[in-house]
Amino acid sequence: MLRRGDRGQAVAHVRSALASLGYLSLDTVPGSLHRPDPDAAVFDDEVDRAVRAFQQQRGLIVDGIVGPATTRSLTDARWSLGDRTLTYTLSSPMSGDDVMALQVRLTEMGYNVGRPDGVFGPSTDGGVRAFQRDRGIVPDGVFGAETLRELSWMRPKATGGRPVYLREHHTVRQSGPRLRGKRIVIDPAHGGADPGWTVRDGDREVRAADLLFDLARRLEGRMEATGMSTFLTRGPQQNPSPEDRAGIANTVDADLLISLHIDGHGSPLASGLATFHFGSDSGRTSTVGETLAELVQRELVARTRMTDGRVHHKTWDILRMSRMPAIQVELGYLTNPDDRARLCTDEFRNTLADGILVAVKRLYMDGRDDPHTGTFTFSDLLAHEQSVRGA
């Protein structure tokens, strides 16, 4: 982790990367662009502003800290399509903006590479091979000069997120309105040595990780009662990385991934709910993920009357690297006395679990027989599922 006040070789490389991407002037980088001077490289206010601007543009958490996600994004941003040969490597998949551009281009050409995520995985390999076969090129999956030339000559059949939109919504509609058989991954944040936000409340210590795991189990029980298959990304003493959490969802071929978080802030006035889905400022988005995020946000705000922090798109790893629609729900601020008092009650966590479950049901109902937001109870949902099952 690098932040304001740090200095040395790692800071020099960050400054060089930011300069090469246009976030810093070249004359502000100590030493040569290619040979930064570690003694002169300081993470000063100017670098902090540049890091925050880069994070904002990339849909990352804007905190001015260069951690793993920001470092990876700085590396990915170096590459433009055609800069290097791309191919699928099982042990260490290639990633970068050039991979993202390739995925978007193939999607526009009508090839199914899944949701563009900037990682050259098996779906992208299959799309490249299919394109090569159609263009009379040896289908080796290697995206080099010849394949780039062929791709450059072709006109897209569709633009923007429409092809992905059609595939995602087709999958949801084909699966039908019943919840039975749906595979849902529930991801309680933090865990193990990472307790998340921790606040002293009287004579007890309140930890976000504990509340989230309890909520995840409540949601799991409700989903199992409807016939869904559920998977938790962690146990009480585990803390997988975002990549591993997304990997669990990909491995079980989940229909949806729901990541649960509790926020905190230096100001005790910060409060409320917000929901996030995969998307970028350039318009790439998970359309079903966005729909689910909106449904969850509306249900939870209607049921809890908490401050509406609204729905936002982000490129966070757990959203970007999951192959199914995924959302991240921020369920209040542990640092806010009112939010904390509510989060610490069983009744409130039951309310949150009910709201999330009903929102998932609404997604698959696709507007059919849709009761008013905030009024469809868990008992109503169970009765509905049982009536459909008996029909």
Side-chain angles (χ1 to χ4, degrees):
M1 295 277 194
L2 297 173
R3 63 189 74 208
R4 188 193 290 114
D6 289 341
R7 61 178 65 234
Q9 183 74 46
V11 175
H13 284 304
V14 168
R15 296 187 66 120
S16 294
L18 290 167
S20 68
L21 296 170
Y23 290 91
L24 280 176
S25 299
L26 287 175
D27 58 7
T28 69
V29 180
S32 163
L33 178 64
H34 301 291
R35 298 188 58 167
D37 178 3
D39 295 328
V42 179
F43 199 128
D44 54 20
D45 289 345
E46 188 173 20
V47 175
D48 180 77
R49 287 192 295 270
V51 169
R52 291 175 185 270
F54 175 77
Q55 290 171 327
Q56 180 69 45
Q57 195 274 330
R58 301 287 291 195
L60 302 168
I61 295 175
V62 183
D63 56 8
I65 298 173
V66 182
T70 300
T71 299
R72 182 165 51 252
S73 196
L74 282 167
T75 302
D76 288 349
R78 293 184 307 163
W79 302 106
S80 296
L81 192 60
D83 285 352
R84 55 179 176 166
T85 298
L86 299 172
T87 187
Y88 175 48
T89 54
L90 182 61
S91 59
S92 181
M94 302 179 75
S95 66
D97 284 11
D98 52 347
V99 178
M100 179 74 82
L102 171 61
Q103 292 169 329
V104 170
R105 192 77 171 90
L106 288 172
T107 298
E108 292 174 345
M109 295 301 304
Y111 295 93
N112 184 6
V113 298
R115 189 178 68 227
D117 60 4
V119 179
F120 201 116
S123 296
T124 305
D125 177 69
V128 170
R129 291 175 188 271
F131 174 78
Q132 290 172 326
R133 280 193 296 270
D134 291 344
R135 300 302 298 169
I137 304 172
V138 176
D140 56 8
V142 176
F143 187 81
E146 184 181 12
T147 307
L148 173 63
R149 186 166 54 251
E150 289 291 328
L151 189 66
S152 301
W153 289 340
M154 301 294 294
R155 291 187 176 183
K157 297 179 181 178
T159 58
R162 190 65 183 173
V164 176
Y165 170 89
L166 292 173
R167 291 190 190 105
E168 287 191 342
H169 278 270
H170 175 72
T171 299
V172 168
R173 292 196 177 193
Q174 284 292 102
S175 67
R178 290 179 56 186
L179 295 181
R180 175 168 289 277
K182 303 294 192 298
R183 301 167 67 82
I184 312 297
V185 168
I186 305 170
D187 171 48
H190 312 296
D194 175 18
W197 282 90
T198 302
V199 177
R200 198 76 191 173
D201 190 358
D203 60 353
R204 64 174 177 170
E205 185 179 70
V206 182
R207 297 156 38 107
D210 299 336
L211 294 174
L212 290 167
F213 190 74
D214 176 83
L215 173 59
R217 295 302 299 267
R218 293 169 191 265
L219 181 56
E220 177 187 38
R222 284 160 170 74
M223 289 185 164
E224 292 282 353
T226 68
M228 289 175 152
S229 296
T230 59
F231 307 85
L232 296 184
T233 58
R234 71 168 177 91
Q237 303 305 319
Q238 298 171 316
N239 181 29
S241 67
E243 298 94 329
D244 289 340
R245 294 171 191 253
I248 291 169
N250 294 337
T251 298
V252 302
D253 194 24
D255 294 293
L256 302 173
L257 185 154
I258 300 172
S259 187
L260 307 173
H261 287 243
I262 293 174
D263 213 334
H265 195 272
S267 169
L269 299 178
S271 67
L273 299 156
T275 310
F276 301 85
H277 63 92
F278 173 78
S280 67
D281 291 341
S282 62
R284 296 186 295 269
T285 189
S286 166
T287 51
V288 171
E290 182 176 8
T291 299
L292 178 59
E294 290 171 348
L295 290 169
V296 168
Q297 185 70 12
R298 289 207 304 267
E299 281 291 336
L300 294 183
V301 169
R303 290 166 188 266
T304 65
R305 303 299 178 186
M306 293 177 73
T307 301
D308 185 359
R310 304 190 183 279
V311 171
H312 308 273
H313 61 256
K314 291 294 179 182
T315 59
W316 297 336
D317 284 348
I318 195 164
L319 304 176
R320 179 177 66 89
M321 302 183 74
S322 53
R323 293 198 290 266
M324 70 296 303
I327 63 170
Q328 178 169 311
V329 193
E330 297 287 347
L331 298 156
Y333 284 72
L334 204 61
T335 46
N336 179 278
D338 293 334
D339 284 6
R340 181 170 67 253
R342 301 182 75 183
L343 284 163
C344 287
T345 67
D346 292 344
E347 180 183 2
F348 187 71
R349 294 197 296 278
N350 285 336
T351 297
L352 294 175
D354 288 348
I356 294 170
L357 175 60
V358 169
V360 171
K361 177 62 176 175
R362 289 184 186 280
L363 176 71
Y364 288 107
M365 288 169 67
D366 197 26
R368 292 164 287 194
D369 303 318
D370 191 9
H372 294 299
T373 299
T375 63
F376 201 34
T377 67
F378 178 50
S379 298
D380 292 336
L381 191 150
L382 277 181
H384 183 275
E385 288 295 302
Q386 290 166 358
S387 67
V388 172
R389 195 178 310 167

